[in-house]
Each structure stands twice: as C-alpha cells, then as structure tokens.
C-alpha cells in the first residue's frame, strides 16, 4: 500500500478502501482463530498465562521478604500477565476476562505506587545525607510507609489466587 498523504485527515483514512480492506482482513483472521486455529492458540495462551500467574503467586506470597529488585520483577510480571490477558481476551468469555484483568489492574496499581515511593526515597536520600531537612522528612516519611505499602501489595497479590483464571476450564 502506498503511504497516505501527510495532510490526510484520520476520518478520511479510516473511510478509505485500504483501511477498510485491512480491517476486513483482521476480522477474517479473528474468525479463523476462533474456529480452526483457536483451540491451538488458546492452548498455548493457557500455558503461558498459567506459568506467569504461578510465578506471580509464588513471589506474591513472600513479597514483603523480597529485595527491591525482586519486588520490581514481580511488578513487571504482573504487567506482562495483564497485557497477555488483554491480548488473549477475544478468545475467552468476556466477563471472566474482565474480572481477572480488574484484579490484576488493582495489584499493578499498588505495585506501581510502591515502586514510585521506593524510587522517590532513593532520590531524596543523597540530599537528606547532605543535611536538607525537607529531604530528610521525605526519606523518613517514605520509609515509614514502606512496610504498610509492601503489606498491601502482598495482600493484593495473594488475592489474585482467589480469582478464577479465565482460561481454566
């Protein structure tokens, strides 16, 4: 396909024959996956999703005891699991997928806040060591919150085990 002119409006491009042809092709491919190829794709996705969830749940049980690097890996795994779940969503019942993704989103948000506070504390620490009272306050405040935040993350990760995986039969 030739590249669209740079001055073309999005509405014009979407209504154009090339875009509509590509869209019909994607719909046809989706239909193929739902029928003949869908079982194979679902089987592979189930295995990947289950393996990733198992690792998240294993680490989630001991989240508070993990070092900062391992805790960050848990956050990245939760993010990957959510994105893979969203990618797989069209092949599974929508209600079950949305419940699972919502639980992942809650855990991912909490892990993100926890990580942001750890990073902030690390950034304030040098200024606190140099005698900046505002930085000292920030470091102490963030340190005081850390255990509670880690406990919240661990609780949310443990709760994931209670949500039925949408790919289970």
């Amino acid at each position: 396909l030739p590249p669209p002119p740079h001055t073309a409006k999005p509405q014009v491009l979407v209504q154009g024959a090339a875009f509509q042809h590509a869209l019909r092709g994607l719909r046809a491919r989706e239909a193929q996956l739902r029928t003949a190829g869908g079982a194979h794709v679902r089987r592979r996705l189930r295995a990947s999703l289950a393996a990733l969830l198992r690792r998240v749940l294993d680490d989630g049980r001991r989240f508070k005891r993990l070092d900062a690097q391992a805790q960050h890996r848990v956050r990245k795994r939760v993010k990957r699991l959510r994105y893979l779940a969203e990618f797989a969503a069209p092949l599974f019942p929508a209600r079950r997928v949305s419940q699972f993704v919502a639980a992942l989103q809650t855990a991912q948000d909490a892990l993100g806040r926890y990580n942001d506070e750890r990073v902030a504390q690390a950034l304030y620490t040098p200024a606190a060591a140099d005698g900046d009272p505002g930085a000292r306050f920030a470091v102490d405040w963030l340190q005081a919150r850390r255990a509670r935040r880690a406990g919240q993350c661990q609780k949310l990760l443990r709760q994931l085990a209670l949500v039925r995986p949408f790919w289970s039969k």
Side-chain angles (χ1 to χ4, degrees), residues 29-79:
R29 183 67 179 136
E30 179 186 8
Q32 288 174 339
L33 288 174
R34 286 184 185 273
T35 57
H40 173 70
V41 171
R42 277 191 295 273
R43 195 169 36 254
R44 291 188 62 174
L45 284 170
R46 278 186 181 107
S48 295
L49 287 161
L52 199 48
L53 178 61
R54 193 169 32 257
R55 292 174 78 183
V56 165
L57 294 177
D58 287 346
D59 287 341
R61 280 189 282 278
R62 55 195 175 92
F63 183 82
K64 291 192 297 186
R65 295 187 312 264
L66 298 175
D67 64 25
Q69 197 172 25
Q71 287 176 336
H72 187 63
R73 274 196 306 273
V74 174
R75 177 179 176 244
K76 292 191 299 189
R77 282 188 185 125
V78 168
K79 189 184 291 191

Side-chain angles (χ1 to χ4, degrees), residues 3-161:
H6 293 291
T7 58
K9 293 183 178 181
Q11 305 91 299
V12 173
L13 294 174
V14 170
Q15 293 170 353
F19 184 85
Q20 291 300 314
H21 177 71
L23 193 56
R24 281 191 299 278
L26 287 171
R27 286 185 183 151
R29 183 67 179 136
E30 179 186 8
Q32 288 174 339
L33 288 174
R34 286 184 185 273
T35 57
H40 173 70
V41 171
R42 277 191 295 273
R43 195 169 36 254
R44 291 188 62 174
L45 284 170
R46 278 186 181 107
S48 295
L49 287 161
L52 199 48
L53 178 61
R54 193 169 32 257
R55 292 174 78 183
V56 165
L57 294 177
D58 287 346
D59 287 341
R61 280 189 282 278
R62 55 195 175 92
F63 183 82
K64 291 192 297 186
R65 295 187 312 264
L66 298 175
D67 64 25
Q69 197 172 25
Q71 287 176 336
H72 187 63
R73 274 196 306 273
V74 174
R75 177 179 176 244
K76 292 191 299 189
R77 282 188 185 125
V78 168
K79 189 184 291 191
R80 278 198 317 266
L81 181 58
R82 182 179 142 226
Y83 294 158
L84 184 57
E86 289 173 344
F87 173 78
L91 299 173
F92 296 93
R95 187 174 69 50
R96 288 180 53 201
V97 173
S98 65
Q99 290 170 342
F100 189 80
V101 169
L104 284 173
Q105 180 66 50
T106 301
Q108 185 181 349
D109 289 347
L111 290 164
R113 284 188 300 274
Y114 179 74
N115 187 67
D116 289 348
E117 289 184 6
R118 287 190 68 106
V119 169
Q121 185 177 6
L123 293 172
Y124 278 117
T125 297
D130 289 342
D132 181 331
R136 176 81 270 151
F137 174 81
V139 167
D140 292 345
W141 185 74
L142 291 165
Q143 180 63 38
R145 294 170 55 87
R146 183 182 291 178
R148 192 177 103 238
R149 287 278 197 198
Q152 289 171 340
C153 290
Q154 184 167 308
K155 180 180 178 183
L156 289 169
L157 290 167
R158 285 180 173 176
Q159 287 175 350
L160 283 176

